[in-house]
Amino acid sequence: MHLTVSLNIASTAGQAGALTFSDLAGFAQRAEAAGLDMIVLDDAPPGRAGSGNPFEATTLLAALATVTSRIGLVATASMVAHQPYNLARRFASLDIISHGRAGWNATMAQAPSEAANFSRPDGFSSDEFRRRSEEYIGIVQGLWNGWEADALLFDKDSGRFHDPGKMHQLDHKGEFFAVRGPLNVARSPQDTPVLVLSSLAAGDLDIAARTADVILLDERQAARRKARHDEFRRRVSASGREPDAVRILADISLAANGVAGLADRMEEEFRANNCDGFNIRLSAHISALDDFTNRVLPELRRRGVIRQSHGGTTLRSHLGLSGGGDR
């Protein structure tokens, strides 16, 4: 398995002037040309300033899909601001638009005051938010799996649009949501969009072990990465999944670390099984991306730590995860 490299595109907050779509498209194209596996598009909750990304993340993903062809595109979307059916439908559509390159980043931390914009002025307790999030994720993944791969027939001669035996209604009735299903969107080109979980607390690890394809560990957890990695692998196995069914990516901020010695650090952490790859958070200076792609990535390729180019056309293939499409 090769080291996975992700770019967090919204961490350019603080640069002079607002980012335009042309800036972000150029960013994505340079990251794709450099062979990065995916981009994570952050999104500030409504009413909170400070995000370097001036666009709603799923809308931006759709636009970036038209100016790129290989790199994975992961958008952050709130479980408070969206109903699970609409979010599942949106990401299923994005995955078709991008030809199997889409992913959803679900943040497990509650954003202060966000719920007040969505008829919950008092927000949620921590335990309530966790239970709601687990139910929400289960609904989304259930809807994504509602159509079998060959369920849609489009048979004009017989007039059969689909095989009813290969379409499954969810009929979910839970503590927080009631969702009948199915989606009115075809099955994803990569079976399901990639699920990324971030901002995990200790109580979220079992949820992630059962559901996630990728988890992001923030830099505050750097000292415990090896122990966290091993503990999480045990939880994945205990949930009945293969231990390597989830990719664990560690945040690295170029603002804090620069590029000097970065290739050594990344190789050392990867070979020590501290993580499966890295989520690169850039400084306010876009030139940091050039420093990383021109100096760090070539050195990692020379050492055989990362692939020479994208391994396939879908995000799952880049990450080495099971799913539809090429691997």
Side-chain angles (χ1 to χ4, degrees):
M1 186 170 68
H2 290 86
L3 182 150
T4 297
V5 183
S6 166
L7 175 70
N8 195 294
I9 207 168
S11 50
T12 53
Q15 69 172 7
L19 289 170
T20 66
F21 175 70
S22 294
D23 294 328
L24 293 166
F27 230 33
Q29 289 166 338
R30 285 151 64 191
E32 180 173 72
L36 271 66
D37 295 296
M38 68 184 189
I39 291 169
V40 178
L41 306 170
D42 275 352
D43 202 8
R48 191 185 80 191
S51 171
N53 181 358
F55 304 104
E56 191 277 324
T58 62
T59 307
L60 179 59
L61 190 160
L64 292 177
T66 68
V67 297
T68 59
S69 61
R70 303 283 280 186
I71 195 167
L73 301 168
V74 176
T76 302
S78 165
M79 289 183 279
V80 173
H82 305 278
Q83 283 290 309
Y85 184 92
N86 286 338
L87 184 139
R89 183 172 184 242
R90 181 175 303 181
F91 277 96
S93 300
L94 289 170
D95 207 53
I96 294 170
I97 289 170
S98 65
H99 303 288
R101 295 185 289 130
W104 169 37
N105 176 30
T107 303
M108 297 297 288
Q110 195 172 177
S113 75
E114 181 187 22
N117 289 313
F118 301 97
S119 305
R120 288 291 297 239
D122 298 324
F124 301 93
S125 70
S126 296
D127 183 64
E128 186 180 27
F129 184 77
R130 178 173 292 116
R131 297 196 317 272
R132 185 181 183 276
S133 297
E134 183 173 17
E135 184 179 342
Y136 192 116
I137 290 167
I139 293 168
V140 170
Q141 292 186 316
L143 289 168
W144 283 344
N145 283 296
W147 294 95
E148 295 183 25
D150 55 351
L152 299 184
L153 303 175
F154 301 109
D155 188 337
K156 293 181 180 179
D157 293 334
S158 68
R160 296 180 73 205
F161 171 74
H162 70 279
D163 181 346
K166 297 182 178 180
M167 182 273 287
H168 309 288
Q169 288 188 176
L170 188 64
D171 283 330
H172 172 86
K173 295 180 178 66
E175 180 182 3
F176 299 96
F177 302 101
V179 180
R180 183 184 181 195
L183 289 182
N184 58 349
V185 180
R187 191 174 178 88
S188 162
Q190 53 179 345
D191 282 347
T192 65
V194 169
L195 174 63
V196 179
L197 294 185
S198 58
S199 301
L200 298 172
D204 301 319
L205 292 181
D206 283 333
I207 299 172
R210 291 191 295 270
T211 64
D213 297 305
V214 177
I215 67 167
L216 304 182
L217 297 178
D218 64 39
E219 288 186 287
R220 291 171 298 176
Q221 299 163 325
R224 295 190 61 242
R225 275 181 189 156
K226 174 62 174 173
R228 198 77 182 260
H229 182 277
D230 293 346
E231 176 189 0
F232 187 74
R233 289 281 181 242
R234 287 193 294 271
R235 290 175 188 251
V236 172
S237 295
S239 74
R241 304 172 73 189
E242 292 296 322
D244 61 352
V246 185
R247 297 288 175 264
I248 301 172
L249 306 187
D251 277 1
I252 285 186
S253 172
L254 294 189
N257 298 290
V259 297
L262 188 55
D264 292 337
R265 177 186 168 190
M266 292 173 71
E267 181 183 17
E268 180 181 356
E269 293 212 38
F270 176 67
R271 295 198 186 281
N273 289 322
N274 291 356
C275 61
D276 302 313
F278 296 91
N279 181 42
I280 306 299
R281 292 184 172 272
L282 298 180
S283 70
H285 305 288
I286 291 181
S287 61
L289 176 61
D290 294 325
D291 289 339
F292 181 75
T293 58
N294 294 335
R295 296 170 58 187
V296 179
L297 289 182
E299 179 59 23
L300 291 172
R301 287 198 176 93
R302 187 188 68 78
R303 301 179 189 185
V305 179
I306 59 175
R307 288 190 302 260
Q308 295 298 318
S309 61
H310 290 115
T313 60
T314 68
L315 178 52
R316 287 185 178 276
S317 69
H318 301 344
L319 299 172
L321 297 171
S322 62
D326 49 23
R327 305 288 193 270

